[in-house]
């Protein structure tokens, strides 16, 4: 009798935190680029500007908020997607449309729950907001601007969460299923990396415009009346304003995170198997993109 598979959705959240520690400087530079009113600097130039003005450690401004976001946003969407997928897929792989719907629901819910931490994370990247740490930022926003401000940009964050989870989780599962079906490749790290590459491209294409709008709304001081107004103002800068961080560079960030997640989740799976005296059973690598 085969051993019953236990969902390890929490690996996704923990691995996301580990990946965030490595890729946070790239995300911080991305936020700086997205909040430019005019395109004045590119990625390398912006990174050099931050280091020159504030020092190397400034690239890690807001790391606590980034970790807080992963522990709320990522854990929620992984918990929903992984748990329901394992329940519904006990008889066989789920159809792709069901994966899409499940990913959208999990991502939307996770995006809404993670909005407060996400907003503080975005503000941390800009020098006009000075918070000691994530909890200090959450408390000060609640005290000075009200509860409603904590969920500023929730519409964009939830919508982006839905799209990015469809691109990452649903497309990852489907890509891996198709690759394994060919019989050319086995269930190994190379297959995981190839599937992650495909998922990262899908997620980037789907969510980048919403990511720009979400960043602008969360970083605003009230200059936007709402989502449509922000959309209109951004559109005035031209179509490419929605892709201020170029597709290729954004994809590089996605792929780097995928590689981090492969390593971290695989290590965690092996450690858990050893701790539970199941060393003879190959641990299931439950990792997903950030």
């Amino acid at each position: 009798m085969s051993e019953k598979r236990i969902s390890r959705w929490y690996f996704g959240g923990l691995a996301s935190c580990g990946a965030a520690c490595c890729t946070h400087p790239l995300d911080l530079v991305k936020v700086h680029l997205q909040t430019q009113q005019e395109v004045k600097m590119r990625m390398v130039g912006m990174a050099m500007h931050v280091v020159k003005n504030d020092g190397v450690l400034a690239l890690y401004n807001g790391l606590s908020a980034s970790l807080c976001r992963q522990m709320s946003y990522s854990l929620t969407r992984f918990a929903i997607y992984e748990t329901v997928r394992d329940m519904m897929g006990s008889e066989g792989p789920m159809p792709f449309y069901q994966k899409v719907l499940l990913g959208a629901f999990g991502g939307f819910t996770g995006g809404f729950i993670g909005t407060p931490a996400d907003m503080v994370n975005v503000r941390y990247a800009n020098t006009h907001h000075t918070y000691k740490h994530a909890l200090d930022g959450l408390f000060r926003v609640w005290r000075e601007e009200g509860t409603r401000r904590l969920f500023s940009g929730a519409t964009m964050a939830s919508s982006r969460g839905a799209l990015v989870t469809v691109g990452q989780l649903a497309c990852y599962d489907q890509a891996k299923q198709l690759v394994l079906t060919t019989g050319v490749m086995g269930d190994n790290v190379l297959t995981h990396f190839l599937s992650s590459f495909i998922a990262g491209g899908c997620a980037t294409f789907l969510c980048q415009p919403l990511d720009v709008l979400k960043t602008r709304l969360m970083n605003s001081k009230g200059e936007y009346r709402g989502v449509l107004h922000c959309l209109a103002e951004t559109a005035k800068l031209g179509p490419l304003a929605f892709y201020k961080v170029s597709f290729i560079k954004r994809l590089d960030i996605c792929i780097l995170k995928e590689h981090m997640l492969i390593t971290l989740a695989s290590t965690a799976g092996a450690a858990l198997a050893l701790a539970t005296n199941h060393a003879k059973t190959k641990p299931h690598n439950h990792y997903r993109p950030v």
Side-chain angles (χ1 to χ4, degrees), residues 185-199:
M185 301 173 65
D187 190 357
N188 51 40
V189 173
L190 183 59
T191 300
H192 299 163
F193 188 83
L194 177 60
S195 303
S196 297
F197 186 93
I198 297 172

Side-chain angles (χ1 to χ4, degrees), residues 8 11 264-279 281 283 285:
R8 297 171 184 170
F11 283 177
L264 291 170
S266 298
T267 303
L272 181 63
L274 183 62
T276 54
N277 295 320
H278 290 303
T281 302
N285 294 327

Side-chain angles (χ1 to χ4, degrees), residues 8-282:
R8 297 171 184 170
W9 51 266
Y10 47 85
F11 283 177
L14 296 176
S16 295
C17 289
C21 292
C22 299
T23 61
H24 184 75
L26 297 175
D27 284 332
L28 181 138
V29 172
K30 179 199 73 173
V31 170
H32 276 290
L33 290 172
Q34 289 176 339
T35 52
Q36 289 185 108
Q37 292 303 316
E38 297 178 4
V39 180
K40 299 178 181 179
M41 298 183 188
R42 299 298 178 183
M43 197 160 195
V44 176
M46 181 62 76
M48 295 296 294
H49 175 75
V50 172
V51 172
K52 182 179 179 180
N53 290 340
D54 303 309
V56 177
L57 293 180
L59 291 173
Y60 279 91
N61 282 344
L63 178 60
S64 63
S66 181
L67 295 176
C68 184
R69 174 179 178 267
Q70 297 300 340
M71 292 302 290
S72 54
Y73 162 66
S74 291
L75 272 179
T76 299
R77 65 188 186 126
F78 288 131
I80 294 174
Y81 185 86
E82 294 278 356
T83 304
V84 177
R85 185 201 61 185
D86 288 350
M87 291 173 58
M88 296 182 63
S90 58
E91 300 298 327
M94 292 171 57
F96 182 58
Y97 78 91
Q98 290 184 1
K99 296 176 184 176
V100 170
L101 293 176
L102 179 57
F105 176 73
F108 188 90
T109 306
F112 181 79
I113 293 176
T115 296
D118 200 3
M119 185 204 64
V120 173
N121 185 38
V122 169
R123 289 189 172 192
Y124 244 126
N126 292 272
T127 56
H128 59 266
H129 293 293
T130 54
Y131 302 133
K132 296 178 182 178
H133 45 75
L135 296 180
D136 176 62
L138 291 171
F139 177 74
R140 283 180 54 184
V141 172
W142 172 76
R143 184 184 62 187
E144 298 169 9
E145 304 178 51
T147 304
R148 186 173 181 179
R149 178 58 66 178
L150 282 173
F151 289 91
S152 174
T155 302
M156 286 295 101
S158 299
S159 301
R160 177 190 177 278
L163 290 178
V164 79
T165 305
V166 168
Q168 290 177 338
L169 304 192
C171 290
Y172 168 83
D173 277 343
Q174 191 66 22
K176 183 179 177 183
Q177 180 182 330
L178 292 175
V179 170
L180 292 176
T181 302
T182 62
V184 177
M185 301 173 65
D187 190 357
N188 51 40
V189 173
L190 183 59
T191 300
H192 299 163
F193 188 83
L194 177 60
S195 303
S196 297
F197 186 93
I198 297 172
C202 294
T204 300
F205 179 78
L206 289 172
C207 76
Q208 183 64 13
L210 288 179
D211 197 22
V212 171
L213 294 177
K214 181 207 71 173
T215 300
R216 285 177 170 270
L217 284 169
M218 289 182 172
N219 195 53
S220 71
K221 293 183 177 180
E223 58 262 37
Y224 299 121
R225 294 190 296 271
V227 175
L228 293 180
H229 183 221
C230 180
L231 175 65
E233 291 297 312
T234 305
K236 290 179 181 179
L237 302 176
L240 293 180
F242 293 102
Y243 288 87
K244 275 196 171 180
V245 183
S246 71
F247 182 83
I248 297 300
K249 290 176 180 176
R250 185 69 181 95
L251 187 58
D252 288 342
I253 297 174
C254 290
I255 295 173
L256 178 58
K257 289 182 177 180
E258 301 305 332
H259 187 69
M260 296 294 175
L261 288 168
I262 291 171
T263 305
L264 291 170
S266 298
T267 303
L272 181 63
L274 183 62
T276 54
N277 295 320
H278 290 303
K280 293 183 179 180
T281 302
K282 184 178 179 180

